[in-house]
């Protein structure tokens, strides 16, 4: 009986925590979508195909596609490689993806 009460209390705490983090989950989804859009915009601006990008940084074309649709995020090393390839800073990509715009004093590279 004590185990059942303990188990129920754990489930209730987990559900409360999950419900309280809804804003964080929504913000993360929005940032992921925005990063995906920025990656695609930069690739198109540079007149590159997904296949070319994939071969250049050493990943599959499907990985590039997943990053551009928001289904997955690039690793830090891949994000840095993408930024170099597109001629922008990784920091700028992340700031813009987070909705903060370009840091003050920097020119918008996109």
């Amino acid at each position: 009986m004590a185990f059942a009460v303990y188990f129920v209390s754990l489930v209730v705490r987990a559900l409360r925590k999950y419900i309280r983090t809804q804003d964080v989950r929504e913000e993360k989804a929005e940032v992921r979508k925005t990063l995906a859009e920025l990656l695609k915009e930069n690739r198109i601006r540079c007149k590159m195909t997904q296949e070319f990008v994939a071969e250049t940084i050493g990943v599959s074309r499907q990985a590039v596609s997943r990053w551009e649709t928001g289904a997955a995020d690039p690793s830090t090393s891949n994000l840095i490689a993408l930024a170099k390839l597109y001629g922008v800073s990784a920091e700028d990509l992340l700031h813009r993806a987070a909705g903060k715009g370009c840091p003050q004093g920097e020119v918008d590279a996109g």
Side-chain angles (χ1 to χ4, degrees), residues 1 3 6-7 16 29 45 58 64 70-71 82 85-86 97 99-101 103:
M1 180 68 177
F3 177 74
Y6 177 71
F7 181 73
R16 282 185 180 165
R45 177 182 54 80
V64 175
L82 288 166
L85 183 63
Y86 298 150
K100 297 177 184 174

Side-chain angles (χ1 to χ4, degrees), residues 42 45-46 48 81-89 92 109:
N42 278 289
R45 177 182 54 80
C46 294
M48 298 177 185
L82 288 166
K84 282 183 182 179
L85 183 63
Y86 298 150
V88 297
S89 72
D92 182 41

